[in-house]
Amino acid sequence: MGANVDLSVRIGNGTLANPVGVASGTFGYGGEYEGLVDFSDIGAIYTKAVTLEPRGGNAPPRLVETPSGILNSIGLANVGVEKFISDKLPYLRTLPCAVVVNVAGASEDEYRRVVERLESGCLDSVDTNGSGIFGYEVNVSCPNVHHGGLAFGTDPAQVERLTSSLRELTKRPLIIKLTPNVTDIAVVAKAAEAGGADAVSLINTLVGMVIDVKTRKPVLGAKTGGLSGPAVRPVGVALTCKARRAVSIPIIGMGGISCADDALQYILAGASAVQIGTANFVNPKTAGLVSSGIREYCIGNGISSLKEICGVAVD
Ligand code: SIN
């Protein structure tokens, strides 16, 4: 009976069989979760951001718990594109889930060079079955770096320019990851769509600060960080609804999802797919549980395709 529910999601020229992915920065490059999860339960792994050169990241401490959430200031620590190709991609290619490479850069040129290197170095065709890379998630929303990241994502003109520049380089699904730290996310989502994005993903984290009253200093080495976890879910759901009204490309919703009902809120607000982030640190199997919970909800409510309920709470 479960097999009759269509959970597939079309993104550009690719199809995800399962709408529930794991968010960039919460799942490493997949291997970190070997033995802890069944990768066939996951729709897509969105890798940790990949930049042109390796990055050490920000000064510690980089993580602090907050009420119903965490604040991180990782600073895009990653192995760089060459090591990603030589050390991480071979493993990722063996997995039975889609792989979306999260790409970051301090300049338009850097984003371009990462995508160019991935396109020329190792990829053969659009791939949804695990032997290659499904597509790219372009990180224009990291709040923890001085160049690129948020500085790109708060400027709609720059988002459109960067998107169309990357569009020239690849036919693979191109997803632009948006920040909630803007006055109007609809304007930025429209800019991504105008630039040729196949989807937008939202929300990245909200800028926050925690101060230790004993030391009278911010707890995080970088002083501010990005807030994620259940505390931000109502923000993510509201911004999904706002983006839904602004664009016709698919929306991938995230922010505080830890169970099927949380994910369904995003879907009812207009998301076609979702990502699990902070909840992976609590239970690495969350994506699989959310996915099967969505299937059960559909069966229990006579829904044969997830598309039937996408956006119905707000359309
Ligand atoms: C980080 O590496 O600082 C977090 C990534 C992000 O927020 O995009």
Side-chain angles (χ1 to χ4, degrees):
M1 187 174 179
N4 293 332
V5 182
D6 177 13
L7 297 182
S8 69
V9 186
R10 187 87 183 153
I11 312 267
N13 59 3
T15 301
L16 295 171
N18 168 352
V20 185
V22 286
S24 176
T26 68
F27 224 76
Y29 304 101
E32 293 84 345
Y33 285 81
E34 176 81 50
L36 293 174
V37 297
D38 181 346
F39 289 100
S40 58
D41 288 343
I42 295 171
I45 293 179
Y46 297 76
T47 70
K48 178 60 187 164
V50 177
T51 53
L52 194 58
E53 302 297 336
R55 287 178 59 94
N58 289 339
R62 296 175 176 180
L63 278 181
V64 58
E65 277 194 52
T66 60
S68 293
I70 55 172
L71 200 61
N72 90 79
S73 69
I74 306 301
L76 298 180
N78 79 99
V79 296
V81 71
E82 291 307 329
K83 268 211 170 314
F84 174 75
I85 290 169
S86 62
D87 296 6
K88 307 297 180 187
L89 195 54
Y91 175 77
L92 284 164
R93 288 168 76 107
T94 67
L95 299 180
C97 56
V99 173
V100 178
V101 183
N102 184 288
V103 175
S107 64
E108 183 178 320
D109 182 59
E110 183 176 351
Y111 284 95
R112 279 185 64 92
R113 287 171 68 188
V114 174
V115 172
E116 265 169 353
R117 180 69 187 98
L118 289 165
E119 285 289 306
S120 69
C122 47
L123 306 178
D124 26 43
S125 61
V126 170
D127 192 338
T128 56
N129 69 13
S131 60
I133 286 180
F134 177 83
Y136 302 104
E137 180 177 59
V138 182
N139 186 343
V140 289
S141 43
C142 175
N144 302 325
V145 289
H146 295 301
H147 304 286
L150 201 60
F152 272 76
T154 51
D155 177 351
Q158 184 115 3
V159 168
E160 183 172 345
R161 207 162 42 239
L162 177 64
T163 307
S164 63
S165 174
L166 298 179
R167 181 75 287 169
E168 288 168 6
L169 302 177
T170 183
K171 292 191 168 40
R172 287 169 210 286
L174 193 58
I175 302 159
I176 309 297
K177 185 168 181 177
L178 304 183
T179 176
N181 302 291
V182 286
T183 309
D184 188 357
I185 203 163
V187 177
V188 192
K190 277 186 187 155
E193 184 176 47
D198 294 305
V200 286
S201 57
L202 59 114
I203 54 176
N204 204 326
T205 54
L206 285 147
V207 175
M209 182 186 281
V210 174
I211 294 177
D212 181 336
V213 297
K214 292 195 199 76
T215 63
R216 300 180 188 170
K217 289 194 167 73
V219 171
L220 294 176
K223 298 189 174 58
T224 59
L227 181 66
S228 63
V232 310
R233 190 174 55 248
V235 179
V237 172
L239 294 184
T240 296
C241 165
K242 202 164 186 188
R244 164 82 173 184
R245 293 183 170 140
V247 296
S248 50
I249 52 177
I251 296 160
I252 302 170
M254 81 193 92
I257 299 175
S258 52
C259 64
D261 280 3
D262 296 344
L264 285 160
Q265 286 195 51
Y266 276 91
I267 290 160
L268 294 166
S272 299
V274 295
Q275 294 178 22
I276 309 301
T278 306
N280 293 318
F281 301 133
V282 180
N283 181 358
K285 297 188 195 322
T286 302
L289 296 170
V290 168
S291 176
S292 56
I294 291 174
R295 184 177 290 280
E296 279 162 29
Y297 176 89
C298 289
I299 293 168
N301 289 278
I303 295 158
S304 59
S305 165
L306 201 57
K307 296 167 194 72
E308 287 171 36
I309 57 166
C310 177
V312 298
V314 297
D315 287 346

